Coordinates of all heavy atoms in Angstrom, one line a residue:
M1 N 17.2 3.3 -17.0 CA 17.9 2.0 -16.8 C 18.0 1.7 -15.3 O 17.9 0.5 -15.0 CB 19.3 2.2 -17.4 CG 20.1 0.9 -17.3 SD 19.4 -0.3 -18.4 CE 20.6 -1.6 -18.2
G2 N 18.1 2.7 -14.5 CA 18.2 2.4 -13.0 C 17.0 1.7 -12.5 O 17.0 0.9 -11.6
F3 N 15.8 2.2 -13.0 CA 14.6 1.6 -12.5 C 14.4 0.2 -12.9 O 14.1 -0.7 -12.1 CB 13.4 2.4 -13.0 CG 12.0 1.8 -12.7 CD1 11.5 1.9 -11.4 CD2 11.3 1.2 -13.7 CE1 10.3 1.3 -11.1 CE2 10.1 0.6 -13.4 CZ 9.6 0.7 -12.1
L4 N 14.8 -0.1 -14.1 CA 14.7 -1.5 -14.6 C 15.7 -2.5 -13.9 O 15.3 -3.6 -13.5 CB 14.9 -1.6 -16.1 CG 13.8 -1.0 -16.9 CD1 14.1 -1.1 -18.4 CD2 12.5 -1.7 -16.7
S5 N 16.9 -2.0 -13.6 CA 17.8 -2.8 -12.9 C 17.4 -3.0 -11.5 O 17.6 -4.1 -10.9 CB 19.2 -2.2 -13.0 OG 19.3 -1.0 -12.4
A6 N 16.8 -2.0 -10.9 CA 16.4 -2.1 -9.5 C 15.2 -3.1 -9.4 O 15.1 -3.9 -8.5 CB 16.0 -0.7 -8.9
L7 N 14.3 -3.0 -10.4 CA 13.1 -3.9 -10.4 C 13.6 -5.3 -10.6 O 13.1 -6.2 -10.0 CB 12.1 -3.5 -11.5 CG 10.8 -4.2 -11.5 CD1 10.1 -4.0 -10.2 CD2 10.0 -3.7 -12.7
F8 N 14.6 -5.5 -11.5 CA 15.1 -6.9 -11.7 C 15.7 -7.4 -10.5 O 15.5 -8.6 -10.1 CB 16.1 -6.8 -12.9 CG 16.7 -8.2 -13.2 CD1 16.0 -9.1 -13.8 CD2 18.0 -8.4 -12.7 CE1 16.6 -10.4 -14.1 CE2 18.6 -9.7 -13.0 CZ 17.9 -10.7 -13.6
G9 N 16.5 -6.6 -9.8 CA 17.2 -7.0 -8.5 C 16.1 -7.3 -7.5 O 16.3 -8.3 -6.7
G10 N 15.1 -6.6 -7.4 CA 14.0 -6.9 -6.4 C 13.3 -8.2 -6.7 O 13.0 -8.9 -5.8
S11 N 13.1 -8.4 -8.0 CA 12.4 -9.7 -8.4 C 13.3 -10.9 -8.1 O 12.8 -11.9 -7.6 CB 12.1 -9.6 -9.9 OG 11.3 -8.6 -10.2
V12 N 14.6 -10.7 -8.3 CA 15.5 -11.8 -8.0 C 15.5 -12.1 -6.5 O 15.5 -13.2 -6.1 CB 17.0 -11.5 -8.5 CG1 18.0 -12.4 -7.9 CG2 17.0 -11.5 -10.0
G13 N 15.5 -11.0 -5.7 CA 15.5 -11.2 -4.2 C 14.2 -11.9 -3.8 O 14.3 -12.8 -2.9
F14 N 13.1 -11.5 -4.3 CA 11.8 -12.1 -4.0 C 11.8 -13.6 -4.4 O 11.4 -14.5 -3.6 CB 10.7 -11.4 -4.7 CG 9.3 -12.0 -4.5 CD1 8.6 -11.8 -3.3 CD2 8.7 -12.8 -5.4 CE1 7.4 -12.3 -3.1 CE2 7.5 -13.4 -5.2 CZ 6.8 -13.2 -4.0
L15 N 12.3 -13.9 -5.6 CA 12.3 -15.3 -6.1 C 13.3 -16.1 -5.3 O 13.1 -17.3 -5.2 CB 12.5 -15.3 -7.6 CG 11.4 -14.8 -8.4 CD1 11.8 -14.7 -9.9 CD2 10.2 -15.6 -8.3
M16 N 14.4 -15.5 -4.8 CA 15.3 -16.2 -4.0 C 14.7 -16.7 -2.7 O 14.9 -17.9 -2.3 CB 16.5 -15.3 -3.7 CG 17.6 -16.0 -3.0 SD 19.1 -15.0 -2.8 CE 18.5 -13.8 -1.6
Q17 N 13.9 -15.9 -2.1 CA 13.2 -16.3 -0.9 C 12.2 -17.4 -1.2 O 12.1 -18.3 -0.4 CB 12.6 -15.1 -0.2 CG 11.8 -15.5 1.1 CD 12.7 -16.1 2.1 OE1 13.9 -15.8 2.3 NE2 12.1 -17.0 2.9
C18 N 11.4 -17.2 -2.3 CA 10.5 -18.3 -2.6 C 11.2 -19.6 -2.9 O 10.7 -20.7 -2.5 CB 9.7 -17.9 -3.9 SG 8.5 -16.5 -3.6
S19 N 12.3 -19.6 -3.6 CA 13.1 -20.8 -3.8 C 13.6 -21.4 -2.5 O 13.6 -22.6 -2.4 CB 14.2 -20.5 -4.8 OG 13.7 -20.0 -6.0
A20 N 14.1 -20.6 -1.6 CA 14.6 -21.1 -0.4 C 13.5 -21.8 0.4 O 13.7 -22.9 1.0 CB 15.2 -20.0 0.5
N21 N 12.3 -21.2 0.5 CA 11.2 -21.8 1.1 C 10.8 -23.1 0.5 O 10.5 -24.1 1.1 CB 10.0 -20.9 1.2 CG 10.1 -19.9 2.2 OD1 11.0 -19.9 3.0 ND2 9.1 -18.9 2.2
S22 N 10.8 -23.2 -0.9 CA 10.5 -24.4 -1.6 C 11.5 -25.5 -1.3 O 11.2 -26.6 -1.2 CB 10.4 -24.1 -3.1 OG 10.1 -25.2 -3.8
A23 N 12.8 -25.1 -1.3 CA 13.8 -26.1 -1.0 C 13.7 -26.7 0.4 O 14.1 -27.9 0.6 CB 15.2 -25.5 -1.2
L24 N 13.2 -25.9 1.3 CA 13.1 -26.4 2.7 C 11.7 -27.1 2.9 O 11.4 -27.4 4.0 CB 13.2 -25.2 3.7 CG 14.6 -24.6 3.7 CD1 14.6 -23.4 4.6 CD2 15.6 -25.6 4.3
K25 N 11.0 -27.2 1.8 CA 9.6 -27.9 1.9 C 8.7 -27.1 2.8 O 7.9 -27.7 3.5 CB 9.7 -29.3 2.3 CG 10.7 -30.2 1.5 CD 10.0 -30.8 0.4 CE 10.9 -31.9 -0.2 NZ 10.8 -31.9 -1.6
L26 N 8.8 -25.8 2.8 CA 7.9 -24.9 3.5 C 6.9 -24.3 2.6 O 7.1 -24.3 1.4 CB 8.7 -23.8 4.2 CG 9.7 -24.2 5.3 CD1 10.5 -23.0 5.7 CD2 9.0 -24.8 6.5
P27 N 5.8 -23.9 3.1 CA 4.9 -23.1 2.2 C 5.6 -21.9 1.6 O 6.4 -21.3 2.3 CB 3.7 -22.7 3.1 CG 3.8 -23.6 4.3 CD 5.2 -24.0 4.4
V28 N 5.4 -21.7 0.3 CA 6.1 -20.6 -0.4 C 5.9 -19.2 0.3 O 6.8 -18.4 0.3 CB 5.7 -20.6 -1.9 CG1 6.4 -19.4 -2.6 CG2 6.0 -21.9 -2.5
A29 N 4.7 -19.0 0.8 CA 4.4 -17.7 1.3 C 4.7 -17.6 2.8 O 4.2 -16.7 3.5 CB 3.0 -17.3 1.0
R30 N 5.4 -18.5 3.4 CA 5.7 -18.5 4.8 C 6.7 -17.3 5.1 O 7.6 -17.1 4.4 CB 6.3 -19.8 5.3 CG 6.4 -19.9 6.8 CD 6.8 -21.3 7.2 NE 6.7 -21.4 8.6 CZ 7.0 -22.5 9.3 NH1 7.4 -23.6 8.6 NH2 7.0 -22.5 10.6
Y31 N 6.5 -16.6 6.2 CA 7.3 -15.5 6.6 C 7.3 -14.4 5.5 O 8.3 -14.2 4.9 CB 8.7 -15.9 7.0 CG 8.8 -16.9 8.1 CD1 9.5 -18.1 7.8 CD2 8.3 -16.7 9.3 CE1 9.6 -19.0 8.9 CE2 8.4 -17.6 10.3 CZ 9.1 -18.8 10.1 OH 9.2 -19.7 11.1
P32 N 6.2 -13.8 5.2 CA 6.1 -12.8 4.1 C 7.0 -11.6 4.3 O 7.4 -11.0 3.3 CB 4.6 -12.4 4.1 CG 4.1 -12.8 5.4 CD 4.9 -13.9 5.9
W33 N 7.4 -11.3 5.5 CA 8.3 -10.2 5.7 C 9.7 -10.4 5.1 O 10.4 -9.5 4.7 CB 8.4 -9.8 7.2 CG 8.9 -11.0 8.1 CD1 8.2 -11.9 8.7 CD2 10.3 -11.2 8.4 NE1 9.0 -12.8 9.4 CE2 10.3 -12.4 9.2 CE3 11.5 -10.7 8.1 CZ2 11.4 -12.9 9.7 CZ3 12.6 -11.2 8.6 CH2 12.6 -12.3 9.4
R34 N 10.1 -11.7 5.1 CA 11.3 -12.0 4.4 C 11.3 -11.8 2.9 O 12.3 -11.3 2.3 CB 11.7 -13.5 4.7 CG 12.1 -13.8 6.1 CD 12.6 -15.2 6.2 NE 12.9 -15.6 7.5 CZ 13.2 -16.8 7.9 NH1 13.2 -17.8 7.0 NH2 13.5 -17.1 9.2
H35 N 10.1 -12.0 2.3 CA 10.0 -11.7 0.9 C 10.2 -10.2 0.7 O 10.9 -9.8 -0.3 CB 8.6 -12.1 0.4 CG 8.4 -13.6 0.4 ND1 8.1 -14.3 1.5 CD2 8.3 -14.5 -0.6 CE1 7.9 -15.6 1.2 NE2 8.0 -15.7 -0.1
A36 N 9.6 -9.4 1.5 CA 9.7 -7.9 1.4 C 11.2 -7.5 1.7 O 11.7 -6.6 1.0 CB 8.8 -7.2 2.4
L37 N 11.8 -8.1 2.7 CA 13.2 -7.8 3.0 C 14.1 -8.1 1.8 O 14.9 -7.3 1.4 CB 13.6 -8.6 4.2 CG 15.1 -8.4 4.6 CD1 15.3 -7.0 5.2 CD2 15.5 -9.4 5.7
F38 N 14.0 -9.3 1.3 CA 14.9 -9.7 0.1 C 14.6 -8.9 -1.1 O 15.4 -8.6 -1.9 CB 14.8 -11.2 -0.2 CG 15.6 -12.0 0.8 CD1 15.1 -12.7 1.9 CD2 17.0 -12.1 0.6 CE1 15.9 -13.4 2.7 CE2 17.8 -12.9 1.4 CZ 17.2 -13.5 2.5
F39 N 13.3 -8.5 -1.3 CA 12.9 -7.6 -2.4 C 13.6 -6.3 -2.2 O 14.2 -5.7 -3.2 CB 11.4 -7.4 -2.5 CG 11.0 -6.6 -3.7 CD1 10.8 -7.2 -4.9 CD2 10.7 -5.3 -3.6 CE1 10.4 -6.5 -6.0 CE2 10.3 -4.6 -4.7 CZ 10.1 -5.2 -5.9
G40 N 13.6 -5.7 -1.0 CA 14.3 -4.5 -0.8 C 15.8 -4.5 -0.9 O 16.4 -3.6 -1.5
I41 N 16.4 -5.6 -0.5 CA 17.9 -5.8 -0.7 C 18.2 -5.9 -2.2 O 19.1 -5.3 -2.7 CB 18.4 -7.0 0.1 CG1 18.3 -6.8 1.6 CG2 19.8 -7.4 -0.3 CD1 18.5 -8.0 2.4
G42 N 17.3 -6.6 -2.9 CA 17.5 -6.7 -4.4 C 17.4 -5.4 -5.1 O 18.1 -5.1 -6.0
L43 N 16.4 -4.6 -4.6 CA 16.2 -3.2 -5.2 C 17.5 -2.4 -5.0 O 17.9 -1.7 -5.9 CB 15.1 -2.5 -4.5 CG 13.7 -2.8 -5.0 CD1 12.6 -2.1 -4.1 CD2 13.5 -2.4 -6.4
Y44 N 18.1 -2.4 -3.8 CA 19.3 -1.7 -3.5 C 20.4 -2.1 -4.4 O 21.1 -1.3 -5.0 CB 19.6 -1.8 -2.0 CG 20.9 -1.0 -1.7 CD1 20.9 0.4 -1.7 CD2 22.1 -1.7 -1.5 CE1 22.1 1.1 -1.4 CE2 23.3 -1.0 -1.2 CZ 23.2 0.4 -1.2 OH 24.4 1.0 -0.9
V45 N 20.6 -3.4 -4.4 CA 21.7 -4.0 -5.3 C 21.5 -3.7 -6.7 O 22.5 -3.2 -7.4 CB 21.9 -5.5 -5.0 CG1 22.9 -6.1 -6.0 CG2 22.3 -5.8 -3.6
G46 N 20.3 -3.8 -7.2 CA 20.0 -3.5 -8.6 C 20.2 -2.0 -8.9 O 20.5 -1.7 -10.0
D47 N 19.9 -1.2 -7.9 CA 20.1 0.3 -8.2 C 21.6 0.7 -8.2 O 22.0 1.5 -8.9 CB 19.4 1.0 -7.0 CG 19.4 2.5 -7.2 OD1 19.1 3.0 -8.4 OD2 19.8 3.2 -6.3
Q48 N 22.4 0.0 -7.4 CA 23.8 0.3 -7.3 C 24.6 -0.3 -8.4 O 25.7 0.2 -8.7 CB 24.4 -0.2 -6.0 CG 23.8 0.5 -4.8 CD 24.1 2.0 -4.8 OE1 25.2 2.4 -5.0 NE2 23.1 2.8 -4.5
Y49 N 24.1 -1.3 -9.1 CA 24.9 -2.0 -10.1 C 25.3 -1.1 -11.3 O 26.5 -1.1 -11.6 CB 24.1 -3.2 -10.7 CG 24.9 -4.0 -11.7 CD1 25.9 -4.8 -11.3 CD2 24.6 -3.8 -13.1 CE1 26.6 -5.5 -12.3 CE2 25.3 -4.5 -14.0 CZ 26.3 -5.3 -13.6 OH 27.0 -6.0 -14.6
P50 N 24.5 -0.3 -11.9 CA 25.0 0.6 -13.0 C 26.1 1.6 -12.5 O 27.0 1.8 -13.3 CB 23.7 1.3 -13.5 CG 22.6 0.5 -13.0 CD 23.0 -0.2 -11.7
K51 N 26.0 2.0 -11.3 CA 27.0 3.0 -10.8 C 28.3 2.3 -10.6 O 29.4 2.8 -11.0 CB 26.5 3.6 -9.5 CG 25.2 4.4 -9.6 CD 24.7 4.8 -8.3 CE 23.3 5.4 -8.4 NZ 22.7 5.6 -7.1
V52 N 28.3 1.1 -10.1 CA 29.5 0.3 -9.9 C 30.1 -0.1 -11.2 O 31.3 0.0 -11.4 CB 29.2 -0.9 -9.0 CG1 30.4 -1.9 -9.0 CG2 28.8 -0.5 -7.6
E53 N 29.3 -0.4 -12.2 CA 29.8 -0.8 -13.5 C 30.4 0.4 -14.2 O 31.5 0.3 -14.8 CB 28.6 -1.3 -14.4 CG 29.0 -1.8 -15.7 CD 27.9 -2.4 -16.5 OE1 26.7 -2.0 -16.2 OE2 28.1 -3.2 -17.4
A54 N 29.9 1.6 -14.0 CA 30.5 2.8 -14.6 C 31.8 3.1 -14.0 O 32.8 3.5 -14.7 CB 29.5 4.0 -14.5
E55 N 31.9 3.0 -12.6 CA 33.2 3.2 -12.0 C 34.2 2.2 -12.4 O 35.4 2.6 -12.6 CB 33.0 3.1 -10.4 CG 32.2 4.3 -9.8 CD 31.9 4.1 -8.4 OE1 32.4 3.1 -7.8 OE2 31.1 4.9 -7.8
M56 N 33.8 1.0 -12.5 CA 34.8 0.0 -13.0 C 35.3 0.3 -14.4 O 36.5 0.1 -14.7 CB 34.1 -1.4 -12.9 CG 35.0 -2.5 -13.3 SD 34.3 -4.2 -13.2 CE 33.0 -4.0 -14.4
M57 N 34.4 0.7 -15.3 CA 34.8 1.1 -16.6 C 35.8 2.2 -16.6 O 36.8 2.2 -17.4 CB 33.6 1.4 -17.5 CG 33.9 1.7 -18.9 SD 34.7 0.3 -19.8 CE 33.3 -0.8 -19.9
D58 N 35.6 3.2 -15.8 CA 36.5 4.4 -15.7 C 37.9 3.9 -15.2 O 38.9 4.3 -15.7 CB 35.9 5.4 -14.7 CG 34.7 6.1 -15.3 OD1 34.5 6.1 -16.5 OD2 34.0 6.7 -14.5
E59 N 37.9 3.0 -14.1 CA 39.2 2.5 -13.6 C 39.9 1.7 -14.7 O 41.1 1.8 -14.8 CB 38.9 1.7 -12.4 CG 38.5 2.5 -11.2 CD 38.1 1.6 -10.0 OE1 38.3 0.4 -10.1 OE2 37.6 2.2 -9.0
L60 N 39.2 0.9 -15.4 CA 39.8 0.1 -16.4 C 40.3 0.9 -17.5 O 41.5 0.6 -18.0 CB 38.7 -0.9 -17.0 CG 39.2 -1.9 -18.1 CD1 40.3 -2.8 -17.5 CD2 38.0 -2.7 -18.6
N61 N 39.6 2.0 -17.9 CA 40.2 2.9 -19.0 C 41.4 3.6 -18.5 O 42.3 3.9 -19.3 CB 39.1 3.8 -19.4 CG 38.1 3.2 -20.4 OD1 38.4 2.2 -21.0 ND2 36.9 3.7 -20.4
A62 N 41.5 3.9 -17.2 CA 42.7 4.6 -16.6 C 43.9 3.6 -16.7 O 45.0 4.0 -17.0 CB 42.4 5.1 -15.2
I63 N 43.6 2.4 -16.4 CA 44.7 1.4 -16.4 C 45.2 1.2 -17.9 O 46.4 1.1 -18.1 CB 44.2 0.1 -15.8 CG1 44.0 0.2 -14.3 CG2 45.2 -1.1 -16.1 CD1 43.4 -1.0 -13.6
R64 N 44.2 1.1 -18.8 CA 44.6 0.9 -20.2 C 45.3 2.2 -20.7 O 46.2 2.0 -21.5 CB 43.3 0.7 -21.0 CG 42.7 -0.7 -20.8 CD 41.4 -0.9 -21.6 NE 41.6 -0.9 -23.0 CZ 41.9 -1.9 -23.8 NH1 42.0 -3.1 -23.2 NH2 42.1 -1.8 -25.1
A65 N 44.9 3.4 -20.3 CA 45.6 4.6 -20.7 C 47.1 4.6 -20.2 O 48.0 5.0 -20.9 CB 44.9 5.8 -20.2
A66 N 47.3 4.1 -19.0 CA 48.6 4.1 -18.4 C 49.5 3.1 -19.2 O 50.7 3.3 -19.2 CB 48.5 3.7 -16.9
K67 N 48.9 2.1 -19.8 CA 49.7 1.1 -20.5 C 49.8 1.5 -22.0 O 50.3 0.7 -22.8 CB 49.0 -0.3 -20.4 CG 49.1 -0.9 -19.0 CD 48.6 -2.3 -19.0 CE 48.8 -2.8 -17.6 NZ 48.3 -4.2 -17.5
G68 N 49.2 2.6 -22.4 CA 49.2 3.0 -23.8 C 48.2 2.3 -24.7 O 48.4 2.3 -25.9
M69 N 47.2 1.7 -24.1 CA 46.2 1.0 -24.9 C 45.0 1.9 -25.2 O 44.7 2.8 -24.4 CB 45.8 -0.2 -24.2 CG 46.9 -1.2 -24.0 SD 46.4 -2.6 -22.8 CE 45.3 -3.5 -23.9
P70 N 44.2 1.7 -26.2 CA 43.0 2.5 -26.4 C 42.0 2.2 -25.4 O 41.9 1.1 -24.9 CB 42.5 2.1 -27.8 CG 43.1 0.8 -28.0 CD 44.4 0.7 -27.3
P71 N 41.1 3.2 -25.1 CA 40.1 2.9 -24.1 C 39.0 2.0 -24.6 O 38.8 1.9 -25.8 CB 39.5 4.3 -23.8 CG 39.8 5.1 -25.0 CD 41.1 4.6 -25.6
L72 N 38.3 1.4 -23.7 CA 37.1 0.6 -24.1 C 35.9 1.5 -24.1 O 35.7 2.4 -23.2 CB 36.9 -0.5 -23.1 CG 37.9 -1.6 -23.1 CD1 37.6 -2.6 -22.0 CD2 38.0 -2.3 -24.4
V73 N 35.0 1.4 -25.1 CA 33.8 2.2 -25.2 C 32.6 1.3 -25.1 O 32.7 0.1 -25.6 CB 33.8 3.0 -26.5 CG1 34.9 4.1 -26.4 CG2 34.0 2.2 -27.7
P74 N 31.5 1.7 -24.6 CA 30.3 0.9 -24.6 C 29.8 0.6 -26.0 O 29.9 1.4 -26.9 CB 29.3 1.8 -23.8 CG 30.1 2.8 -23.1 CD 31.3 3.0 -23.9
S75 N 29.3 -0.6 -26.2 CA 28.7 -0.9 -27.5 C 27.5 -1.9 -27.2 O 27.2 -2.2 -26.1 CB 29.7 -1.6 -28.3 OG 30.0 -2.9 -27.8
K76 N 26.9 -2.3 -28.3 CA 25.8 -3.2 -28.1 C 26.2 -4.7 -28.3 O 25.4 -5.5 -28.6 CB 24.7 -2.8 -29.1 CG 24.1 -1.5 -28.9 CD 22.8 -1.3 -29.6 CE 22.3 0.1 -29.4 NZ 21.8 0.4 -28.1
K77 N 27.5 -5.0 -28.2 CA 28.0 -6.3 -28.3 C 27.6 -7.1 -27.1 O 27.1 -6.6 -26.1 CB 29.5 -6.3 -28.6 CG 29.8 -5.8 -29.9 CD 31.3 -6.1 -30.2 CE 31.6 -5.6 -31.6 NZ 31.8 -6.6 -32.5
W78 N 27.9 -8.4 -27.1 CA 27.5 -9.3 -26.0 C 28.1 -8.9 -24.7 O 27.4 -8.8 -23.6 CB 27.9 -10.7 -26.4 CG 27.5 -11.7 -25.3 CD1 26.2 -11.9 -24.8 CD2 28.3 -12.6 -24.6 NE1 26.2 -12.9 -23.9 CE2 27.5 -13.3 -23.7 CE3 29.7 -12.8 -24.6 CZ2 28.0 -14.3 -22.9 CZ3 30.2 -13.8 -23.8 CH2 29.4 -14.5 -23.0
L79 N 29.4 -8.6 -24.6 CA 30.1 -8.2 -23.4 C 29.9 -6.8 -23.1 O 30.3 -6.3 -22.0 CB 31.5 -8.6 -23.4 CG 31.8 -10.1 -23.5 CD1 33.3 -10.3 -23.6 CD2 31.3 -10.8 -22.2
G80 N 29.4 -6.0 -24.0 CA 29.1 -4.6 -23.7 C 30.2 -3.6 -24.0 O 30.1 -2.4 -23.9
V81 N 31.5 -4.1 -24.3 CA 32.6 -3.2 -24.6 C 33.3 -3.6 -25.8 O 33.3 -4.8 -26.2 CB 33.5 -3.0 -23.4 CG1 32.9 -2.3 -22.2 CG2 34.1 -4.4 -23.0
E82 N 34.0 -2.7 -26.5 CA 34.9 -3.0 -27.6 C 36.0 -2.0 -27.6 O 35.8 -0.9 -27.2 CB 34.1 -3.1 -28.9 CG 33.6 -1.7 -29.4 CD 32.8 -1.9 -30.7 OE1 32.5 -2.9 -31.1 OE2 32.6 -0.8 -31.2
P83 N 37.2 -2.3 -28.1 CA 38.3 -1.4 -28.1 C 37.9 -0.2 -29.1 O 37.3 -0.4 -30.1 CB 39.5 -2.1 -28.6 CG 39.1 -3.6 -28.4 CD 37.6 -3.7 -28.5
A84 N 38.3 1.0 -28.6 CA 38.0 2.2 -29.5 C 39.0 2.1 -30.7 O 40.2 1.7 -30.5 CB 38.2 3.4 -28.7
S85 N 38.6 2.6 -31.8 CA 39.6 2.6 -33.0 C 40.6 3.7 -32.7 O 40.3 4.8 -32.3 CB 38.8 2.8 -34.3 OG 38.1 4.0 -34.2
S86 N 41.8 3.4 -33.0 CA 42.9 4.3 -32.8 C 43.0 5.3 -33.9 O 43.1 5.1 -35.0 CB 44.3 3.6 -32.6 OG 44.2 2.7 -31.6

């Protein structure tokens, strides 16, 4: 999952630079080092996203446990979580 999220983040970074050049009416491939830079930034963000999401879920479950609520568990639903059955 980490590889796919990193690849997706890199693609978003690359396309963001292409879109910025297009909006400024510049040739799409102008300053190719910026494409590589934004691809690298997107790779890093995409790699960190699953880790941050897991930490957030742990913190949320700790808050729910403190309030006496059941923890949220991962599922295949649209938002990705559902309350655990008590």
Side-chain angles (χ1 to χ4, degrees):
M1 184 66 176
F3 174 73
L4 290 178
S5 63
L7 188 61
F8 178 77
S11 299
V12 168
F14 177 79
L15 291 174
M16 184 174 68
Q17 179 60 34
C18 290
S19 299
N21 282 354
S22 179
L24 295 172
K25 306 270 190 216
L26 296 172
V28 176
R30 188 169 187 184
Y31 303 124
W33 59 270
R34 287 186 186 170
H35 293 74
L37 177 70
F38 279 101
F39 185 81
I41 291 170
L43 277 174
Y44 177 75
V45 171
D47 183 52
Q48 294 299 313
Y49 181 77
K51 298 171 190 171
V52 171
E53 187 178 23
E55 290 174 7
M56 184 177 62
M57 184 63 68
D58 292 340
E59 291 174 5
L60 181 63
N61 283 335
I63 292 170
R64 289 177 64 91
K67 292 184 177 184
M69 300 170 71
L72 293 175
V73 294
S75 72
K76 297 195 184 288
K77 292 193 177 249
W78 181 57
L79 292 176
V81 293
E82 64 182 15
S85 58
S86 299

